[in-house]
Amino acid sequence: SQKIEQNSEALNIQEGKTATLTCNYTNYSPAYLQWYRQDPGRGPVFLLLIRENEKEKRKERLKVTFDTTLKQSLFHITASQPADSATYLCALEGTGKLIFGQGTTLQVKP
Amino acid sequence: GAGVSQSPRYKVAKRGQDVALRCDPISGHVSLFWYQQALGQGPEFLTYFQNEAQLDKSGLPSDRFFAERPEGSVSTLKIQRTQQEDSAVYLCASSALAGGSDEQYFGPGTRLTVT
């Protein structure tokens, strides 16, 4: 069956460092992948979309890679700030709908 | 409106009661999705509308769950004879394009607690 895995443990880093979050999937060949941010008590907020023919995409301090051979996406936040603390969700396209991972909680300490 | 809105934000229901959750998507958005999110988990797909047509309801957990979008804008998710396992946050999302290949805009969710 289709499966998406994100780091289940929270990621704690120091302000100014680069945070790297991982999304692995199996039994999938998604046409695209999306990353969302979710704060407590709120709905997810779209960050980036990357297509299967794109290796990397950037937006300000954010960078996403998509390796369809490894079946993995990496999400990087450079020069991290305490305001980046949140849960980050990866989502893969699956027959016209999004299939979400369980999310990774990032805590950036000042 | 400025974004996706959902009401009520919180709902407490006694086991066996029926509930109705409302979603107001962004005006003009073609696609509307409902998700269920358990604590500490990612959103799980329930159902998808393209305009007024319900094209995918494969994620609805039982026949107690019913969704509609009669005029292609506002949508209602109804849960009949609620059970404790229905307790979760119900998220609604809309997107401008058909088919879910676009970024989705989420509402704040309705937190349902079944006692």
Side-chain angles (χ1 to χ4, degrees), chain A residues 41-96:
Chain A
R42 295 177 176 264
V45 175
F46 172 81
L47 296 174
L48 281 166
L49 181 153
I50 186 166
R51 302 189 187 282
E52 60 179 339
N53 60 348
E54 298 175 312
K55 295 294 184 188
E56 179 180 300
K57 190 166 249 188
R58 293 174 185 260
K59 179 183 175 183
E60 298 173 352
R61 294 184 296 111
L62 308 181
K63 184 179 86 170
V64 172
T65 63
F66 191 11
D67 189 325
T68 56
T69 301
L70 290 179
K71 293 188 181 295
Q72 180 181 78
S73 175
L74 298 178
F75 177 79
H76 307 271
I77 305 175
T78 58
S80 60
Q81 304 166 1
D84 295 326
S85 300
T87 296
Y88 291 86
L89 299 157
C90 74
L92 278 72
E93 170 268 341
T95 55

Short mmCIF file of all heavy atoms in Angstrom, two decimals, chain A residues 41-96:
data_model
loop_
_atom_site.label_atom_id
_atom_site.label_comp_id
_atom_site.label_asym_id
_atom_site.label_seq_id
_atom_site.Cartn_x
_atom_site.Cartn_y
_atom_site.Cartn_z
N GLY A 41 -3.73 24.62 16.28
CA GLY A 41 -5.07 25.20 16.22
C GLY A 41 -5.43 25.84 14.89
O GLY A 41 -6.48 26.48 14.78
N ARG A 42 -4.56 25.68 13.90
CA ARG A 42 -4.82 26.30 12.60
C ARG A 42 -4.76 25.26 11.49
O ARG A 42 -4.22 24.17 11.66
CB ARG A 42 -3.79 27.39 12.33
CG ARG A 42 -3.89 28.56 13.30
CD ARG A 42 -2.81 29.59 13.03
NE ARG A 42 -2.94 30.75 13.89
CZ ARG A 42 -3.56 31.86 13.52
NH1 ARG A 42 -4.08 31.97 12.32
NH2 ARG A 42 -3.65 32.87 14.36
N GLY A 43 -5.31 25.64 10.34
CA GLY A 43 -5.20 24.76 9.18
C GLY A 43 -3.83 24.88 8.53
O GLY A 43 -3.12 25.86 8.74
N PRO A 44 -3.44 23.88 7.74
CA PRO A 44 -2.15 23.94 7.05
C PRO A 44 -2.09 25.12 6.07
O PRO A 44 -3.11 25.52 5.51
CB PRO A 44 -2.10 22.60 6.29
CG PRO A 44 -3.02 21.70 7.03
CD PRO A 44 -4.11 22.59 7.52
N VAL A 45 -0.88 25.64 5.89
CA VAL A 45 -0.64 26.74 4.95
C VAL A 45 0.36 26.28 3.90
O VAL A 45 1.43 25.76 4.24
CB VAL A 45 -0.10 27.99 5.69
CG1 VAL A 45 0.26 29.08 4.68
CG2 VAL A 45 -1.14 28.51 6.67
N PHE A 46 0.02 26.45 2.64
CA PHE A 46 0.86 26.02 1.54
C PHE A 46 2.19 26.78 1.52
O PHE A 46 2.22 28.00 1.73
CB PHE A 46 0.12 26.26 0.22
CG PHE A 46 0.97 26.04 -1.01
CD1 PHE A 46 1.18 24.76 -1.49
CD2 PHE A 46 1.56 27.10 -1.66
CE1 PHE A 46 1.96 24.54 -2.60
CE2 PHE A 46 2.34 26.90 -2.78
CZ PHE A 46 2.54 25.62 -3.26
N LEU A 47 3.28 26.02 1.27
CA LEU A 47 4.60 26.63 1.17
C LEU A 47 5.17 26.50 -0.24
O LEU A 47 5.52 27.49 -0.87
CB LEU A 47 5.56 26.00 2.19
CG LEU A 47 5.21 26.20 3.66
CD1 LEU A 47 6.14 25.40 4.55
CD2 LEU A 47 5.25 27.68 4.03
N LEU A 48 5.32 25.27 -0.72
CA LEU A 48 5.98 25.03 -2.00
C LEU A 48 5.38 23.80 -2.68
O LEU A 48 4.95 22.87 -2.01
CB LEU A 48 7.48 24.77 -1.80
CG LEU A 48 8.40 25.98 -1.55
CD1 LEU A 48 9.75 25.52 -1.05
CD2 LEU A 48 8.56 26.79 -2.83
N LEU A 49 5.41 23.82 -4.01
CA LEU A 49 5.03 22.67 -4.82
C LEU A 49 6.19 22.37 -5.76
O LEU A 49 6.76 23.29 -6.36
CB LEU A 49 3.76 22.98 -5.62
CG LEU A 49 3.18 21.88 -6.52
CD1 LEU A 49 1.68 22.08 -6.67
CD2 LEU A 49 3.84 21.85 -7.89
N ILE A 50 6.55 21.09 -5.87
CA ILE A 50 7.62 20.69 -6.79
C ILE A 50 7.11 19.54 -7.64
O ILE A 50 6.44 18.63 -7.13
CB ILE A 50 8.91 20.33 -6.02
CG1 ILE A 50 10.06 20.05 -6.98
CG2 ILE A 50 8.70 19.17 -5.05
CD1 ILE A 50 11.43 20.02 -6.31
N ARG A 51 7.38 19.59 -8.93
CA ARG A 51 6.89 18.58 -9.86
C ARG A 51 7.95 17.49 -10.06
O ARG A 51 9.13 17.70 -9.80
CB ARG A 51 6.50 19.22 -11.18
CG ARG A 51 5.45 20.28 -11.00
CD ARG A 51 4.86 20.82 -12.29
NE ARG A 51 3.99 21.95 -12.02
CZ ARG A 51 2.75 21.85 -11.55
NH1 ARG A 51 2.23 20.67 -11.31
NH2 ARG A 51 2.03 22.93 -11.32
N GLU A 52 7.53 16.38 -10.61
CA GLU A 52 8.42 15.21 -10.73
C GLU A 52 9.60 15.49 -11.65
O GLU A 52 10.64 14.85 -11.52
CB GLU A 52 7.64 13.99 -11.23
CG GLU A 52 6.99 14.17 -12.57
CD GLU A 52 6.25 12.93 -13.01
OE1 GLU A 52 6.56 11.82 -12.51
OE2 GLU A 52 5.36 13.05 -13.87
N ASN A 53 9.46 16.43 -12.57
CA ASN A 53 10.56 16.73 -13.48
C ASN A 53 11.46 17.87 -12.96
O ASN A 53 12.37 18.31 -13.66
CB ASN A 53 10.03 17.08 -14.87
CG ASN A 53 9.11 18.29 -14.85
OD1 ASN A 53 8.70 18.74 -13.79
ND2 ASN A 53 8.79 18.81 -16.02
N GLU A 54 11.20 18.32 -11.75
CA GLU A 54 12.01 19.36 -11.13
C GLU A 54 12.84 18.72 -10.02
O GLU A 54 12.31 17.97 -9.20
CB GLU A 54 11.13 20.47 -10.53
CG GLU A 54 10.30 21.20 -11.58
CD GLU A 54 9.34 22.21 -10.94
OE1 GLU A 54 8.64 21.83 -9.97
OE2 GLU A 54 9.30 23.35 -11.41
N LYS A 55 14.11 19.04 -9.98
CA LYS A 55 14.96 18.48 -8.95
C LYS A 55 14.95 19.32 -7.68
O LYS A 55 15.11 18.81 -6.57
CB LYS A 55 16.41 18.38 -9.45
CG LYS A 55 16.59 17.43 -10.60
CD LYS A 55 16.31 16.00 -10.20
CE LYS A 55 16.59 15.04 -11.33
NZ LYS A 55 16.15 13.67 -11.00
N GLU A 56 14.79 20.62 -7.87
CA GLU A 56 14.92 21.54 -6.74
C GLU A 56 14.05 22.77 -6.99
O GLU A 56 13.88 23.20 -8.13
CB GLU A 56 16.40 21.95 -6.62
CG GLU A 56 16.73 22.91 -5.52
CD GLU A 56 18.21 23.24 -5.50
OE1 GLU A 56 19.03 22.32 -5.34
OE2 GLU A 56 18.54 24.44 -5.67
N LYS A 57 13.54 23.32 -5.89
CA LYS A 57 12.78 24.56 -6.00
C LYS A 57 13.10 25.40 -4.76
O LYS A 57 13.21 24.87 -3.66
CB LYS A 57 11.30 24.29 -6.10
CG LYS A 57 10.46 25.51 -6.47
CD LYS A 57 9.08 25.11 -6.88
CE LYS A 57 8.88 25.36 -8.34
NZ LYS A 57 7.47 25.16 -8.76
N ARG A 58 13.19 26.72 -4.95
CA ARG A 58 13.52 27.62 -3.85
C ARG A 58 12.49 28.73 -3.73
O ARG A 58 11.92 29.17 -4.72
CB ARG A 58 14.89 28.27 -4.07
CG ARG A 58 16.06 27.32 -4.01
CD ARG A 58 17.35 28.02 -4.39
NE ARG A 58 18.47 27.08 -4.45
CZ ARG A 58 19.36 26.92 -3.47
NH1 ARG A 58 19.27 27.63 -2.36
NH2 ARG A 58 20.34 26.04 -3.59
N LYS A 59 12.31 29.19 -2.48
CA LYS A 59 11.45 30.35 -2.23
C LYS A 59 11.98 31.00 -0.97
O LYS A 59 11.86 30.47 0.12
CB LYS A 59 10.01 29.92 -2.04
CG LYS A 59 9.04 31.06 -1.75
CD LYS A 59 7.64 30.51 -1.52
CE LYS A 59 6.68 31.61 -1.10
NZ LYS A 59 5.33 31.05 -0.82
N GLU A 60 12.62 32.13 -1.15
CA GLU A 60 13.22 32.87 -0.03
C GLU A 60 14.16 31.95 0.74
O GLU A 60 15.11 31.42 0.17
CB GLU A 60 12.12 33.48 0.83
CG GLU A 60 11.28 34.49 0.04
CD GLU A 60 10.07 34.99 0.81
OE1 GLU A 60 9.77 34.46 1.90
OE2 GLU A 60 9.41 35.91 0.30
N ARG A 61 13.91 31.69 2.02
CA ARG A 61 14.81 30.84 2.81
C ARG A 61 14.48 29.35 2.70
O ARG A 61 15.10 28.53 3.36
CB ARG A 61 14.76 31.27 4.28
CG ARG A 61 15.30 32.67 4.55
CD ARG A 61 15.31 33.01 6.04
NE ARG A 61 13.98 33.06 6.61
CZ ARG A 61 13.50 32.17 7.49
NH1 ARG A 61 14.25 31.15 7.90
NH2 ARG A 61 12.27 32.30 7.97
N LEU A 62 13.52 29.01 1.88
CA LEU A 62 13.06 27.63 1.76
C LEU A 62 13.63 26.99 0.51
O LEU A 62 13.75 27.63 -0.54
CB LEU A 62 11.54 27.56 1.71
CG LEU A 62 10.77 28.29 2.81
CD1 LEU A 62 9.27 28.10 2.59
CD2 LEU A 62 11.19 27.82 4.17
N LYS A 63 13.98 25.70 0.62
CA LYS A 63 14.41 24.93 -0.54
C LYS A 63 13.86 23.53 -0.43
O LYS A 63 13.90 22.91 0.64
CB LYS A 63 15.94 24.87 -0.62
CG LYS A 63 16.45 24.15 -1.87
CD LYS A 63 17.97 24.13 -1.94
CE LYS A 63 18.55 22.95 -1.21
NZ LYS A 63 20.01 22.79 -1.45
N VAL A 64 13.33 23.03 -1.53
CA VAL A 64 12.79 21.68 -1.58
C VAL A 64 13.49 20.92 -2.70
O VAL A 64 13.70 21.46 -3.79
CB VAL A 64 11.27 21.68 -1.85
CG1 VAL A 64 10.77 20.27 -2.09
CG2 VAL A 64 10.52 22.31 -0.71
N THR A 65 13.85 19.67 -2.40
CA THR A 65 14.37 18.78 -3.44
C THR A 65 13.43 17.60 -3.59
O THR A 65 12.69 17.25 -2.66
CB THR A 65 15.78 18.29 -3.10
OG1 THR A 65 15.73 17.52 -1.90
CG2 THR A 65 16.74 19.45 -2.96
N PHE A 66 13.45 16.99 -4.77
CA PHE A 66 12.55 15.88 -5.07
C PHE A 66 13.33 14.85 -5.86
O PHE A 66 13.69 15.10 -7.02
CB PHE A 66 11.37 16.42 -5.88
CG PHE A 66 10.20 15.48 -6.05
CD1 PHE A 66 10.08 14.30 -5.33
CD2 PHE A 66 9.17 15.81 -6.93
CE1 PHE A 66 9.00 13.47 -5.49
CE2 PHE A 66 8.07 14.98 -7.09
CZ PHE A 66 7.97 13.81 -6.37
N ASP A 67 13.63 13.72 -5.24
CA ASP A 67 14.40 12.67 -5.88
C ASP A 67 13.46 11.49 -6.12
O ASP A 67 13.16 10.74 -5.20
CB ASP A 67 15.58 12.25 -5.00
CG ASP A 67 16.54 11.31 -5.70
OD1 ASP A 67 16.07 10.47 -6.51
OD2 ASP A 67 17.74 11.41 -5.45
N THR A 68 13.01 11.34 -7.37
CA THR A 68 12.03 10.28 -7.68
C THR A 68 12.68 8.90 -7.70
O THR A 68 11.97 7.90 -7.62
CB THR A 68 11.34 10.56 -9.02
OG1 THR A 68 12.34 10.70 -10.03
CG2 THR A 68 10.51 11.82 -8.95
N THR A 69 14.01 8.85 -7.79
CA THR A 69 14.70 7.55 -7.74
C THR A 69 14.77 7.05 -6.30
O THR A 69 14.45 5.89 -6.02
CB THR A 69 16.11 7.66 -8.32
OG1 THR A 69 16.02 8.12 -9.68
CG2 THR A 69 16.82 6.31 -8.28
N LEU A 70 15.16 7.94 -5.41
CA LEU A 70 15.21 7.59 -3.99
C LEU A 70 13.82 7.62 -3.34
O LEU A 70 13.66 7.13 -2.23
CB LEU A 70 16.11 8.58 -3.24
CG LEU A 70 17.60 8.50 -3.49
CD1 LEU A 70 18.33 9.58 -2.68
CD2 LEU A 70 18.15 7.12 -3.12
N LYS A 71 12.85 8.19 -4.04
CA LYS A 71 11.49 8.38 -3.50
C LYS A 71 11.58 9.20 -2.20
O LYS A 71 11.08 8.78 -1.13
CB LYS A 71 10.81 7.04 -3.27
CG LYS A 71 10.52 6.30 -4.57
CD LYS A 71 9.67 5.07 -4.33
CE LYS A 71 9.38 4.30 -5.61
NZ LYS A 71 8.55 5.04 -6.55
N GLN A 72 12.19 10.36 -2.34
CA GLN A 72 12.42 11.18 -1.17
C GLN A 72 12.38 12.66 -1.53
O GLN A 72 12.83 13.08 -2.59
CB GLN A 72 13.80 10.86 -0.58
CG GLN A 72 14.17 11.64 0.65
CD GLN A 72 15.57 11.29 1.16
OE1 GLN A 72 16.59 11.74 0.62
NE2 GLN A 72 15.61 10.48 2.20
N SER A 73 11.85 13.46 -0.60
CA SER A 73 11.92 14.91 -0.71
C SER A 73 12.57 15.44 0.56
O SER A 73 12.29 14.97 1.66
CB SER A 73 10.52 15.52 -0.86
OG SER A 73 10.58 16.93 -0.84
N LEU A 74 13.45 16.42 0.38
CA LEU A 74 14.05 17.12 1.51
C LEU A 74 13.58 18.56 1.51
O LEU A 74 13.50 19.19 0.44
CB LEU A 74 15.58 17.08 1.43
CG LEU A 74 16.22 15.69 1.46
CD1 LEU A 74 17.74 15.81 1.32
CD2 LEU A 74 15.86 14.95 2.73
N PHE A 75 13.30 19.06 2.70
CA PHE A 75 12.80 20.43 2.87
C PHE A 75 13.79 21.15 3.78
O PHE A 75 14.03 20.69 4.91
CB PHE A 75 11.41 20.38 3.49
CG PHE A 75 10.79 21.72 3.79
CD1 PHE A 75 10.21 22.47 2.78
CD2 PHE A 75 10.78 22.22 5.08
CE1 PHE A 75 9.63 23.70 3.06
CE2 PHE A 75 10.21 23.45 5.37
CZ PHE A 75 9.63 24.19 4.35
N HIS A 76 14.37 22.23 3.29
CA HIS A 76 15.38 22.96 4.03
C HIS A 76 14.89 24.36 4.36
O HIS A 76 14.30 25.03 3.50
CB HIS A 76 16.67 23.10 3.21
CG HIS A 76 17.21 21.81 2.68
ND1 HIS A 76 18.11 21.02 3.39
CD2 HIS A 76 16.99 21.17 1.50
CE1 HIS A 76 18.41 19.96 2.66
NE2 HIS A 76 17.76 20.01 1.52
N ILE A 77 15.16 24.78 5.59
CA ILE A 77 14.94 26.18 5.98
C ILE A 77 16.31 26.71 6.41
O ILE A 77 16.89 26.25 7.39
CB ILE A 77 13.96 26.31 7.16
CG1 ILE A 77 12.64 25.61 6.86
CG2 ILE A 77 13.72 27.80 7.46
CD1 ILE A 77 11.67 25.62 8.05
N THR A 78 16.83 27.68 5.66
CA THR A 78 18.13 28.25 6.00
C THR A 78 17.93 29.44 6.94
O THR A 78 16.86 30.04 6.99
CB THR A 78 18.88 28.71 4.75
OG1 THR A 78 18.06 29.66 4.05
CG2 THR A 78 19.16 27.54 3.82
N ALA A 79 18.99 29.73 7.70
CA ALA A 79 18.96 30.86 8.65
C ALA A 79 17.67 30.81 9.47
O ALA A 79 16.91 31.79 9.53
CB ALA A 79 19.09 32.19 7.91
N SER A 80 17.43 29.67 10.10
CA SER A 80 16.16 29.45 10.80
C SER A 80 15.94 30.46 11.92
O SER A 80 16.89 30.97 12.53
CB SER A 80 16.10 28.03 11.34
OG SER A 80 17.17 27.83 12.24
N GLN A 81 14.67 30.74 12.17
CA GLN A 81 14.26 31.72 13.19
C GLN A 81 13.25 31.05 14.12
O GLN A 81 12.54 30.12 13.70
CB GLN A 81 13.61 32.92 12.50
CG GLN A 81 14.48 33.58 11.46
CD GLN A 81 13.69 34.53 10.57
OE1 GLN A 81 12.49 34.71 10.74
NE2 GLN A 81 14.39 35.18 9.64
N PRO A 82 13.14 31.52 15.36
CA PRO A 82 12.11 30.96 16.26
C PRO A 82 10.71 30.97 15.63
O PRO A 82 9.92 30.07 15.89
CB PRO A 82 12.19 31.87 17.48
CG PRO A 82 13.62 32.31 17.51
CD PRO A 82 14.00 32.48 16.06
N ALA A 83 10.42 31.96 14.79
CA ALA A 83 9.10 32.03 14.13
C ALA A 83 8.88 30.89 13.15
O ALA A 83 7.74 30.67 12.70
CB ALA A 83 8.95 33.37 13.42
N ASP A 84 9.93 30.17 12.80
CA ASP A 84 9.78 29.01 11.90
C ASP A 84 9.29 27.78 12.66
O ASP A 84 8.99 26.75 12.05
CB ASP A 84 11.11 28.67 11.23
CG ASP A 84 11.61 29.76 10.30
OD1 ASP A 84 10.76 30.43 9.66
OD2 ASP A 84 12.84 29.95 10.22
N SER A 85 9.22 27.85 13.97
CA SER A 85 8.75 26.72 14.78
C SER A 85 7.31 26.40 14.44
O SER A 85 6.43 27.26 14.53
CB SER A 85 8.89 27.03 16.27
OG SER A 85 10.23 27.29 16.61
N ALA A 86 7.07 25.16 14.01
CA ALA A 86 5.75 24.73 13.56
C ALA A 86 5.85 23.26 13.18
O ALA A 86 6.92 22.66 13.26
CB ALA A 86 5.28 25.54 12.36
N THR A 87 4.75 22.69 12.75
CA THR A 87 4.75 21.35 12.16
C THR A 87 4.73 21.48 10.65
O THR A 87 3.97 22.28 10.10
CB THR A 87 3.53 20.54 12.64
OG1 THR A 87 3.64 20.34 14.05
CG2 THR A 87 3.48 19.17 11.95
N TYR A 88 5.58 20.72 9.99
CA TYR A 88 5.70 20.78 8.53
C TYR A 88 5.22 19.45 7.95
O TYR A 88 5.66 18.37 8.35
CB TYR A 88 7.14 21.08 8.13
CG TYR A 88 7.52 22.50 8.50
CD1 TYR A 88 8.00 22.78 9.77
CD2 TYR A 88 7.35 23.55 7.61
CE1 TYR A 88 8.32 24.08 10.15
CE2 TYR A 88 7.67 24.85 7.97
CZ TYR A 88 8.14 25.11 9.24
OH TYR A 88 8.44 26.41 9.60
N LEU A 89 4.31 19.57 6.99
CA LEU A 89 3.66 18.40 6.39
C LEU A 89 4.08 18.28 4.93
O LEU A 89 4.06 19.28 4.19
CB LEU A 89 2.14 18.56 6.42
CG LEU A 89 1.48 18.68 7.80
CD1 LEU A 89 0.13 19.37 7.68
CD2 LEU A 89 1.29 17.30 8.41
N CYS A 90 4.45 17.08 4.51
CA CYS A 90 4.60 16.86 3.07
C CYS A 90 3.33 16.17 2.56
O CYS A 90 2.65 15.46 3.32
CB CYS A 90 5.85 16.06 2.72
SG CYS A 90 5.79 14.31 3.09
N ALA A 91 3.01 16.42 1.32
CA ALA A 91 1.80 15.86 0.74
C ALA A 91 2.09 15.47 -0.71
O ALA A 91 2.65 16.26 -1.46
CB ALA A 91 0.66 16.87 0.79
N LEU A 92 1.69 14.26 -1.07
CA LEU A 92 1.92 13.78 -2.42
C LEU A 92 0.61 13.68 -3.17
O LEU A 92 -0.44 13.34 -2.58
CB LEU A 92 2.56 12.40 -2.38
CG LEU A 92 4.07 12.37 -2.16
CD1 LEU A 92 4.44 12.75 -0.74
CD2 LEU A 92 4.63 11.01 -2.50
N GLU A 93 0.68 13.94 -4.45
CA GLU A 93 -0.49 13.79 -5.32
C GLU A 93 -0.76 12.30 -5.49
O GLU A 93 0.15 11.53 -5.80
CB GLU A 93 -0.22 14.43 -6.67
CG GLU A 93 -1.26 14.13 -7.72
CD GLU A 93 -0.94 12.91 -8.57
OE1 GLU A 93 0.22 12.51 -8.60
OE2 GLU A 93 -1.86 12.37 -9.19
N GLY A 94 -1.99 11.93 -5.25
CA GLY A 94 -2.40 10.55 -5.43
C GLY A 94 -3.74 10.49 -6.11
O GLY A 94 -4.75 10.71 -5.46
N THR A 95 -3.79 10.24 -7.38
CA THR A 95 -5.03 10.17 -8.17
C THR A 95 -5.96 11.34 -7.89
O THR A 95 -7.12 11.16 -7.50
CB THR A 95 -5.78 8.84 -7.93
OG1 THR A 95 -6.03 8.67 -6.54
CG2 THR A 95 -4.97 7.68 -8.46
N GLY A 96 -5.42 12.53 -8.06
CA GLY A 96 -6.24 13.73 -7.99
C GLY A 96 -6.48 14.27 -6.61
O GLY A 96 -7.19 15.26 -6.45
#
